[in-house]
Amino acid sequence: MSAPIRSFLFVPGDSEKKIGKIAGTSADAVILDLEDAVSAGRKPVARQLVSEFIAAEPSAAVGPQLWVRMNPLGTEHALSDLAAVVASRPAGIMIPKIDGPSDVLRVHHYLEALESANGLPSGLIRLLPVATETPLAPFRLGDFAAAGISRLYGLTWGAEDLSAALGASTNIGPGGAWATTYQLVRSLTLLGARAADAEAVETLYVDIRDDHGLAESSRRARAEGFSGRIAIHPAQVEIINAAFTPSSDEVEFAERVVEAFAADVGTVALDGKMLDLPHLKQAERVLALAGRPRSS
Ligand code: COA
Ligand code: MG
């Protein structure tokens, strides 16, 4: 199991200045955005800037994995985005506003053709759908498990486009936490991703000055089973990386658990407590999280 990506930093694809900051980020991955951060008139410029940037950064170089957010299927931009960026070998594509696994399969097939046309290994480019941005999408989160999309990296969720699609005036509940609908789709994303043996990626934290709230909610997300989070500002990256990295105490304990199970037993006692196989699985996950996915 390779270590999951802790932080995905969004970078507007038409901003030369912000793209220029990628070299200095400690994000595990960046997502060069061709969708909502780029106005309709700037799409062609963004496509070209992003393709050239990725092509100039060989994937073996030190630094973050380079992902691209394409425009939604059904828009005039989607196929042009894929056709433009595949040759540059992005690590993955984020697909916004899907209605379910069949949309992701469509992109998978487009990528098979484009990888072949560009002499790239089949399945090289991974996929991360934003799986809750339409009212229909949340009902299909459980269907990823049987969809057999081998290049699926994980699932993430978003509250902004869903609330717009629902005609909601807010996505926040009375206590300041997500309103019920968004808590529901967040949990379904976590369950759907894990059922599909894929990563669950927490949504962005919109208040870029609230470091404490970001740290707190990110730690909670990891405790619930998410393995990484979207960042929208460079200052959020270190906080997210720290929250999704197990502490040295956690790693040490996990090593002791794995060691205790080395004798091929189903139950052991450690520090006076009974541990069985779910604890072993949890410990192995902590050790996987402690490894790092960045190219080195
Ligand atoms: N990627 C790379 N660099 C970024 C960045 C990002 N996402 N966000 C900010 N920066 C840079 C700025 O250009 C600025 O550089 P400078 O110091 O040389 O001027 C520096 O980091 C500090 O930025 P700051 O002034 O605090 O923020 P801002 O007002 O320039 O930008 C946002 C605020 C929210 C517009 C910006 O963070 C952003 O564009 N985020 C990503 C938005 C996006 O992609 N959304 C789509 C997904 S929801
Ligand atoms: Mg959006």
Side-chain angles (χ1 to χ4, degrees):
M1 188 175 7
S2 71
I5 295 163
R6 298 167 299 176
S7 48
F8 285 90
L9 173 64
F10 259 119
V11 182
D14 67 336
S15 168
E16 269 186 273
K17 183 178 166 207
K18 285 174 184 162
I19 291 174
K21 305 259 166 181
I22 291 174
T25 180
S26 50
D28 289 336
V30 297
I31 304 173
L32 291 141
D33 191 20
L34 301 177
E35 198 215 4
D36 285 346
V38 179
S39 65
R42 300 270 296 165
K43 302 278 185 199
V45 175
R47 225 174 260 140
Q48 190 177 349
L49 271 178
V50 165
S51 309
E52 284 172 5
F53 176 78
I54 300 176
E57 301 275 312
S59 51
V62 178
Q65 291 187 15
L66 304 178
W67 288 61
V68 176
R69 180 165 71 172
M70 65 183 291
N71 283 281
L73 288 170
T75 66
E76 59 184 312
H77 310 295
L79 287 175
S80 311
D81 290 347
L82 291 175
V85 301
V86 164
S88 65
R89 294 178 76 121
I93 303 285
M94 174 184 262
I95 322 170
K97 300 184 180 63
I98 61 154
D99 273 333
S102 60
D103 286 342
V104 180
L105 269 172
R106 249 174 86 193
V107 176
H108 161 70
H109 291 308
Y110 293 146
L111 288 177
E112 277 190 313
L114 290 166
E115 284 167 343
S116 169
N118 287 284
L120 301 177
S122 179
L124 177 80
I125 300 171
R126 310 297 305 275
L127 290 175
L128 177 62
V130 192
T132 69
E133 288 185 318
T134 74
L136 196 51
F139 292 100
R140 295 179 173 161
L141 280 161
D143 295 342
F144 282 97
I149 308 166
S150 55
R151 66 170 88 227
L152 185 71
Y153 169 80
L155 300 177
T156 190
W157 72 287
E160 306 307 327
D161 285 283
L162 181 58
S163 45
L166 296 179
S169 55
T170 180
N171 45 36
I172 302 297
W178 293 117
T180 316
T181 304
Y182 308 90
Q183 289 183 25
L184 173 74
V185 302
R186 176 176 178 276
S187 295
L188 289 173
T189 301
L190 174 60
L191 293 162
R194 293 308 182 197
D197 203 17
E199 300 300 333
V201 179
E202 175 65 302
T203 198
L204 54 91
Y205 192 80
V206 84
D207 186 349
I208 54 180
R209 285 177 308 263
D210 179 10
D211 292 355
H212 178 76
L214 172 66
E216 196 50 43
S217 62
S218 300
R219 279 195 292 271
R220 229 168 24 234
R222 177 162 76 88
E224 285 179 75
F226 288 90
S227 58
R229 185 165 204 175
I230 308 287
I232 49 171
H233 189 282
Q236 294 186 318
V237 167
E238 283 300 337
I239 296 169
I240 292 175
N241 283 350
F244 285 94
T245 305
S247 68
S248 51
D249 285 356
E250 281 175 90
V251 172
E252 197 187 308
F253 182 72
E255 280 167 347
R256 290 177 59 220
V257 172
V258 170
E259 216 168 281
F261 279 97
D264 198 23
V265 288
T267 345
V268 296
L270 191 66
D271 302 338
K273 287 194 185 111
M274 188 278 285
L275 301 180
D276 59 5
L277 290 174
H279 296 98
L280 175 60
K281 200 171 170 192
Q282 209 175 346
E284 286 170 343
R285 182 146 186 90
V286 167
L287 295 180
L289 286 172
R292 294 281 49 97
R294 280 166 69 102
S295 335
S296 52

